[in-house]
Amino acid sequence: MITGYVLGESLRPGAEFAPQGLRIRAVKRLDVSASAADGQPPLWTLVEWEADEGAAQEIADALAGALEPAHGWYADFTVGDERVVVFAGKVFRYRRGDAAGRAEAIAHGRSVGTPPHQLDWAE
């Protein structure tokens, strides 16, 4: 099983994130006003989900198609020993401990405007 999160605010207007087999585990509202970057809302809606491991690519593709490109929004999750980091239109997959793969995803995040303090997913 894989689990992940997507921020409601990270989805572009009109987008739908509903890959087959996705199950919602929880929905939470967070006050991130102390760390939100310019252009980001001070309150975030965190949607925790789960799915079978075989759905990883479909989920990554659905996120890549639904995420808002402005402000460098991304979502990430793990599949076995792989980390999947998804930006609007771009998916990175690399094995845990792969510093070069992680650096490539971080460099992309910087290039699309992800605030540096938000490029903090686990290795």
Side-chain angles (χ1 to χ4, degrees), residues 96-119:
R96 290 185 194 169
D98 177 357
R102 184 172 190 271
E104 183 180 2
I106 288 173
H108 180 78
R110 287 186 181 127
S111 77
V112 297
T114 307
H117 71 281
Q118 293 176 6
L119 295 167

Side-chain angles (χ1 to χ4, degrees), residues 22-117:
L22 189 81
R23 298 176 298 274
I24 302 300
R25 292 175 57 157
V27 178
K28 303 172 188 171
R29 288 285 282 168
L30 304 172
D31 181 346
V32 296
S33 56
S35 63
D38 289 341
Q40 293 180 334
L43 298 173
W44 290 0
T45 306
L46 185 70
V47 180
E48 181 182 1
W49 54 265
E50 68 181 19
D52 296 330
E53 284 193 23
Q57 191 60 51
E58 181 181 351
I59 290 168
D61 291 343
L63 283 167
L67 289 171
E68 169 64 53
H71 309 297
W73 291 105
Y74 73 89
D76 70 298
F77 59 94
T78 58
V79 181
D81 67 346
E82 279 191 316
R83 171 70 60 180
V84 181
V85 182
V86 183
F87 295 88
K90 187 80 171 163
V91 176
F92 295 88
R93 288 183 82 148
Y94 59 89
R95 296 215 179 276
R96 290 185 194 169
D98 177 357
R102 184 172 190 271
E104 183 180 2
I106 288 173
H108 180 78
R110 287 186 181 127
S111 77
V112 297
T114 307
H117 71 281

